[in-house]
């Protein structure tokens, strides 16, 4: 019996957030007296997969079908069910990101499994199988008890610090019976995400809202981000207005970030925005309105015009 984890990779490397999912699975496996089987879909080098042992995976089940290098929710679901059946697994874990959110509900429906979406804790086994998660757009926490035999969990990103140990995972090829329907979606075009730092993995984020006035001022956000080695993000209206690409929008309907530092510039702090950023360890808000709601969630605040403050802040960081 083992805990099955969906592993994501890009350009030949495992995504950092997937290492966290493996480590989380290893914690659950330890509690439940099982092992961890990481499921890798698509093409990836053996040595990269073996290294998953350093984060707690004993085994890698590899489906080396190049079509799986991009998300096909039906095919991913099919592969995870095959893996879970092979491993007699009662617990399946994915990340609470675009892929996990596409696959987990399908798994849950097909396996009649309870689902906790956006787990923030290990299951409390003294209390059934209770897992902490956010509710009401992050206004409150709930402990959700999964009572079904099979359990599906999506893990909120950046919830646990990563720690590496010695270890090497064994690799087994997994045969999955795919049908044409599993690959019903055709990707016509893929665009490389802008910036060097992946937003979901970033430890530092500089984010802009409508207070930035227009896309012509985004150089100020990018300048500060570059000096800090941070990723850039934005509020939803900014993406809706095409000032920034949609993958940068964070919040209830966008991505979730939990960096060490989140700098919010010209963002009001609506509850839907906070839902995606409130897990940040330190929040700095720059806003010209001292009554902006974001200040209530901030550790540090600067009241003033972002267009004046940002160049000075960037200069100050440069001097460091
Ligand atoms: P605004 O609300 O217009 O705020 C701009 C801020 O900039 C103000 O606080 C203002 O004081 C400040 N400002 C103006 N000029 C300056 C200046 N020169 N210097 C400094 N500060 C300045 N929003 C999200 O972000 N993410 C989501 O996922 C999301 N999902 C949603 C889902 C639903 C169902 C709904 C209904 C809404 C959702 N929204 C989401 C929208 C959300 O409610 C807010 O409307 C949005 O977050 C506001 O974006 P903003 O703060 O950039 O703009």
């Amino acid at each position: 019996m083992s805990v099955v984890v969906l592993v994501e990779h890009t350009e030949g490397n495992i995504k950092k957030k997937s290492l966290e999912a493996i480590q989380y699975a290893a914690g659950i496996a330890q509690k439940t007296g099982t092992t961890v089987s990481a499921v890798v879909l698509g093409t990836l080098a053996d040595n990269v997969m073996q290294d998953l042992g350093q984060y707690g995976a004993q085994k890698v089940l590899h489906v080396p079908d190049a079509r799986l290098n991009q998300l096909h929710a039906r095919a991913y679901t099919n592969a995870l069910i095959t893996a879970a059946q092979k491993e007699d697994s009662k617990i399946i874990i994915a990340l609470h990101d675009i892929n996990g959110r596409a696959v987990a509900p399908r798994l849950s429906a097909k396996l009649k499994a309870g689902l906790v979406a956006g787990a923030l804790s290990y299951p409390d086994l003294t209390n059934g199988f209770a897992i902490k998660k956010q509710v009401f757009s992050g206004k409150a926490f709930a402990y959700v008890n999964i009572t079904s035999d099979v359990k599906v969990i999506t893990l909120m990103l950046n919830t646990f610090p990563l720690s590496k140990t010695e270890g090497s995972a064994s690799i087994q090829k997994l045969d999955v019976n795919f049908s044409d329907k599993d690959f019903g979606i055709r990707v016509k075009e893929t665009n490389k995400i802008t910036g060097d730092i992946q937003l979901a993995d970033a430890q530092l984020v500089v984010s802009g809202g409508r207070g930035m006035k227009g896309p012509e001022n985004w150089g100020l956000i990018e300048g500060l981000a570059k000096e800090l080695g941070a990723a850039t993000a934005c509020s939803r209206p900014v993406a809706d207005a095409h000032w920034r690409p949609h993958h940068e929008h964070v919040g209830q309907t966008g991505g979730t970030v939990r960096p060490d530092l989140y700098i919010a510039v010209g963002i009001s702090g609506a509850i839907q925005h906070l839902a995606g950023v409130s897990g940040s360890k330190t929040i700095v808000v720059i806003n010209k309105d001292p009554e902006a709601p974001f200040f209530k969630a901030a550790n540090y605040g600067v009241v003033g015009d972002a267009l004046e403050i940002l160049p000075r802040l960037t200069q100050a960081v440069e001097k460091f």
Side-chain angles (χ1 to χ4, degrees), residues 217-260:
N217 294 322
W218 231 262
L220 297 175
I221 296 278
E222 287 169 335
L224 178 60
K226 191 161 176 244
E227 279 307 319
L228 289 169
T232 54
C234 67
S235 66
R236 176 171 154 173
V238 162
D240 285 346
H242 305 293
W243 296 1
R244 298 300 295 171
H246 256 294
H247 67 257
E248 284 198 5
H249 133 222
V250 288
Q252 186 184 323
T253 47
T256 300
V257 293
R258 297 169 69 79
D260 291 336

Side-chain angles (χ1 to χ4, degrees), residues 257-315:
V257 293
R258 297 169 69 79
D260 291 336
L261 176 65
Y262 184 79
I263 303 179
V265 190
I267 304 177
S268 57
I271 183 174
Q272 294 90 355
H273 185 83
L274 293 179
V277 308
S278 58
S280 308
K281 294 199 175 61
T282 301
I283 295 179
V284 176
V285 169
I286 301 172
N287 197 303
K288 70 172 188 185
D289 175 8
E291 301 298 321
F294 220 146
F295 283 120
K296 290 203 180 93
N299 301 88
Y300 301 96
V302 183
V303 178
D305 185 342
L307 306 184
E308 287 173 16
I309 291 166
L310 278 176
R312 287 162 59 194
L313 189 56
T314 307
Q315 263 180 14

